[in-house]
């Protein structure tokens, strides 16, 4: 993969989708290169916040050089709060696309289940748009009735929703929705919080289903140099000679049987 350079990009639009959740389209060369499941790292304009924030690619339009991210503001005086205050026309610095992305070719001729939970929901959208398969089931989980991106998912597959408070769809998490709707698949692709991914990994391995999970970890360099984002792998890594994988570079997407979470 070519070495990625920092790029100054223009904000094309900024929209609040739900309480604390924002959608931003940017104009970037990265749009033409990006694959579903990859991410970009976004720098803040605050000299006190040196590290860029890794944010998944939610949608791309390579021809028009447009890329969308959907992100949650994590708190006061954070980088994500600063992004949310920026307006159309302002400039941001990014690097990307980074990471490996979901293996789309594994879905050909198969029944797939795409699963997203919480702020792991956004990268599932571009995946749902691009994946070619026999049957496409999308299962997304939210806290409450703020089911952001729901209409977009509805247009791109058979949609099942879970909410923690039961206000929309199945009450509970994405695995509860899978059980309630008696869903089954040949290949699973998932992104979300670690407890959700752990449950999906366990379910998939018990039922011998091929499963790809996108992991999240705090990152520093974001390009594989600092080993700040490792997770434990089954096999010894050729880069570090220990049972480690760098989430930013070797991932964030892994075959579930490759990693311990
Ligand atoms: C591969 C990947 C994809 C992601 N995709 C999305 C997405 O699409 N939408 C979204 O809202 N969030 C996403 N996240 C989480 C996002 O990176 C953090 O919420 C964000 O970095 C928090 O930054 P902050 O300035 O708001 O918080 P602060 O707490 O001020 O951040 C302090 C430092 O910790 C890091 N950090 C804090 N929380 C996280 C976290 N959960 N993961 C990684 N680094 C963290 C920050 O990058 C920063 O360097 C993703 C994380 C990873 C690793
Ligand atoms: S963040 Fe530096 S190796 Fe992953």
């Amino acid at each position: 993969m070519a070495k990625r350079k920092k790029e100054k990009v223009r904000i094309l639009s900024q929209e609040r989708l739900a309480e604390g959740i924002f959608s931003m389209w940017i104009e970037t060369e990265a749009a033409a290169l990006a694959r579903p499941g990859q991410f970009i790292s976004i720098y803040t304009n605050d000299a006190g916040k040196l590290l860029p924030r890794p944010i998944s690619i939610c949608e791309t339009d390579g021809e028009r050089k447009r890329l969308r991210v959907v992100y949650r503001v994590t708190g006061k005086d954070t980088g994500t709060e600063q992004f949310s205050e920026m307006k159309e026309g302002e400039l941001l610095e990014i690097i990307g696309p980074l990471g490996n992305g979901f293996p789309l070719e594994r879905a050909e001729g198969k029944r797939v289940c795409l699963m997203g939970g919480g702020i792991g929901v956004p990268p599932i959208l571009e995946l749902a748009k691009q994946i070619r398969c026999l049957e496409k089931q999308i299962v997304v989980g939210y806290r409450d009735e703020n089911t952001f991106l729901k209409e977009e998912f509805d247009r791109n597959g058979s949609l099942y929703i879970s909410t923690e408070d039961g206000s929309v769809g199945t009450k509970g998490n994405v695995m509860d929705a899978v059980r309630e709707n008696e869903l089954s698949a040949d290949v699973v692709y998932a992104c979300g919080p670690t407890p959700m991914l752990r449950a999906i990994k366990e379910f998939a391995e018990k039922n011998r289903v091929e499963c790809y999970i996108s992991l999240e970890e705090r990152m520093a360099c974001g390009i594989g140099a600092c080993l700040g984002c490792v997770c434990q792998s089954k096999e010894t890594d050729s880069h570090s000679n220990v049972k480690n994988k760098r989430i930013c570079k070797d991932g964030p997407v892994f075959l579930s049987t490759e990693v311990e979470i």
Side-chain angles (χ1 to χ4, degrees), residues 9-13 25 86-92:
V9 303
R10 187 173 305 281
I11 297 175
L12 297 171
S13 68
W25 279 95
M86 295 183 75
K87 304 270 179 296
E88 182 186 330
E90 288 189 77
L91 298 178
L92 268 176

Side-chain angles (χ1 to χ4, degrees), residues 10 35 41 43 48 54 64 69 75 78 88 96 112 125 134 137 166 180 185-186 190 195 198 212 214 216 227 243:
R10 187 173 305 281
R35 296 193 305 274
S41 277
Y43 291 83
R64 293 199 286 165
V69 287
T78 58
E88 182 186 330
V112 306
L125 180 55
L134 189 62
Q137 305 157 100
E180 186 172 278
D186 305 311
R198 200 174 285 133
Y212 296 90
S214 180
E216 193 182 299
L227 303 184
K243 289 187 174 178

Side-chain angles (χ1 to χ4, degrees), residues 39 51-56 70-72 74 78-80 119 122 215-219 252:
F39 64 97
L51 297 176
R53 276 47 179 163
I55 304 286
S56 300
V70 169
Y71 60 96
R72 170 177 286 147
T74 61
T78 58
T80 46
I119 207 59
L215 303 186
E216 193 182 299
E217 185 50 81
R218 284 183 178 244
M219 291 181 181

